Amino acid sequence: MGASLSNLGSNGSTIAPSLGDIPENCVARVFLHLTPPEICNLARLNRAFRGAASADSVWESKLPSNYQHLLRLMPEEQRCRNLSKKDIFAVFSKPLPFDDGNKQLWLDRVTGRVCMSISAKGLSITGIDDRRYWTWVPTEESRFNIVAYLQQIWWFEVDGEVDFPFPADNYTLSFRLHLGRFSKRLGRRVCNYDQTHGWDIKPVIFRLSTSDGQEASFECCLDETVHDDTYGNHKRGYWVDYKVGEFIVTGSEPTTKVRFSMKQIDCTHSKGGLCVDSVFIIPSELRDRKGGGFLK
């Protein structure tokens, strides 16, 4: 009876229920099926939606299943605070540097899936300390603000590995490379190809392997002259995402070790004029949905 009377106005007319009448716990149940951006937009509607949008139960469902293992990557001052699950998601939705700043981890803001990038400084590059071959170039075009530029070399080899508690998913590993040296002149981006040579003679071989026996490989000439739908007749002057392969993490092991490499060790000719930015490990579904150019 009381519930019926509460829906009556002063003149006896029935008051239509509004969004504000929905219990907060019901709103939270709906939020479990929405994406973080959708939740944040709906939180502006009223107090019940705002309260549900801060519930730990909602945001824990958006975090990776093993997010507790990732907390060690957070700065100590943040780890010591009693952060809500929403705050933890907010911290991880921005690139979080670790391993002396040579790696970054972040969560995709829509799906909450783990993504990683590894700087050229976190890779083992043959001859990197010899300035006759390699130089470091500061640039805003890299998320790490620096890339390795190869002037000329005969034995080209880049290796790396990561041992990390990746949550269960299907991942794609790729190298981000650029033919030619770029700079800004009078506010305009210009590329110089004087040292770019040797990449059309023999293919570069890309490989990856995991601690549970998965392997993948791919090879191609970086300076191909065949027409490409994305880059035209050649790939000079563009950042290109070279997919090495995919690997699957089932979550049965505490960590997954991934080794990867990029080689052109035919010493019959030299090669040069190449920028090495980073390696990306991205959930395959995200990479396919967003396309190769999203990695910048």
Side-chain angles (χ1 to χ4, degrees):
M1 181 71 177
S4 301
L5 290 174
S6 65
N7 288 331
L8 296 177
S10 56
N11 57 0
S13 60
T14 302
I15 301 175
S18 66
L19 287 175
D21 297 322
I22 304 177
E24 187 176 305
N25 64 329
C26 292
V27 177
R29 282 179 170 270
V30 174
F31 281 179
L32 292 174
H33 304 281
L34 301 182
T35 66
E38 291 169 338
I39 294 170
C40 292
N41 286 333
L42 290 173
R44 304 170 185 171
L45 289 177
N46 57 47
R47 183 179 299 175
F49 278 59
R50 190 162 52 251
S54 298
D56 275 353
S57 60
V58 169
W59 288 97
E60 187 161 18
S61 70
K62 310 305 174 187
L63 289 165
S65 56
N66 67 340
Y67 77 92
Q68 294 283 357
H69 297 287
L70 306 180
L71 296 179
R72 62 182 176 81
L73 301 180
M74 295 172 60
E76 188 175 353
E77 62 272 14
Q78 290 181 320
R79 289 202 308 272
C80 293
R81 293 164 53 195
N82 187 22
L83 294 177
S84 67
K85 300 298 189 294
K86 181 181 179 181
D87 291 335
I88 293 173
F89 187 94
V91 170
F92 280 111
S93 66
K94 300 174 183 177
L96 196 63
F98 66 103
D99 192 16
D100 296 325
N102 292 328
K103 296 183 179 74
Q104 290 182 354
L105 175 125
W106 69 96
L107 300 184
D108 178 73
R109 295 184 181 184
V110 176
T111 64
R113 294 159 84 173
V114 168
C115 305
M116 181 185 291
S117 59
I118 304 160
S119 166
K121 279 191 170 288
L123 305 175
S124 174
I125 303 177
T126 300
I128 190 64
D129 295 324
D130 193 327
R131 297 197 62 181
R132 293 174 300 172
Y133 305 131
W134 292 88
T135 57
W136 292 105
V137 179
T139 175
E140 296 177 354
E141 296 191 15
S142 167
R143 62 172 58 241
F144 295 98
N145 297 314
I146 196 166
V147 300
Y149 176 70
L150 173 63
Q151 298 169 112
Q152 178 173 300
I153 206 165
W154 277 261
W155 186 286
F156 173 73
E157 183 172 5
V158 179
D159 298 281
E161 78 171 42
V162 59
D163 193 358
F164 194 77
F166 289 103
D169 211 329
N170 187 6
Y171 295 91
T172 291
L173 186 144
S174 57
F175 280 84
R176 187 171 184 257
L177 310 175
H178 184 288
L179 280 175
R181 181 163 183 166
F182 55 88
S183 59
K184 281 193 174 180
R185 187 177 302 161
L186 299 177
R188 296 181 58 188
R189 186 182 191 270
V190 295
C191 290
N192 184 298
Y193 307 110
D194 290 347
Q195 294 177 315
T196 304
H197 69 284
W199 303 110
D200 57 342
I201 301 174
K202 292 287 182 69
V204 172
I205 300 173
F206 300 87
R207 287 197 175 96
L208 77 80
S209 63
T210 65
S211 49
D212 61 357
Q214 299 178 70
E215 295 183 351
S217 63
F218 165 72
E219 61 180 63
C220 73
C221 290
L222 302 187
D223 205 8
E224 293 175 321
T225 54
V226 243
H227 184 82
D228 184 282
D229 291 337
T230 305
Y231 303 102
N233 289 329
H234 56 71
K235 298 175 182 177
R236 293 186 175 196
Y238 298 92
W239 283 109
V240 181
D241 171 31
Y242 289 91
K243 176 181 174 180
V244 180
E246 300 183 6
F247 63 94
I248 298 172
V249 176
T250 62
S252 58
E253 297 295 330
T255 65
T256 301
K257 180 177 287 188
V258 185
R259 292 188 175 91
F260 45 90
S261 65
M262 170 175 59
K263 300 179 182 180
Q264 215 296 13
I265 55 178
D266 184 338
C267 295
T268 59
H269 67 283
S270 65
K271 36 264 174 190
L274 177 74
C275 293
V276 178
D277 173 31
S278 52
V279 169
F280 282 84
I281 300 177
I282 304 288
S284 300
E285 185 181 321
L286 296 183
R287 183 185 184 277
D288 295 339
R289 188 174 70 214
K290 297 180 179 179
F294 86 103
L295 293 177
K296 164 62 177 70

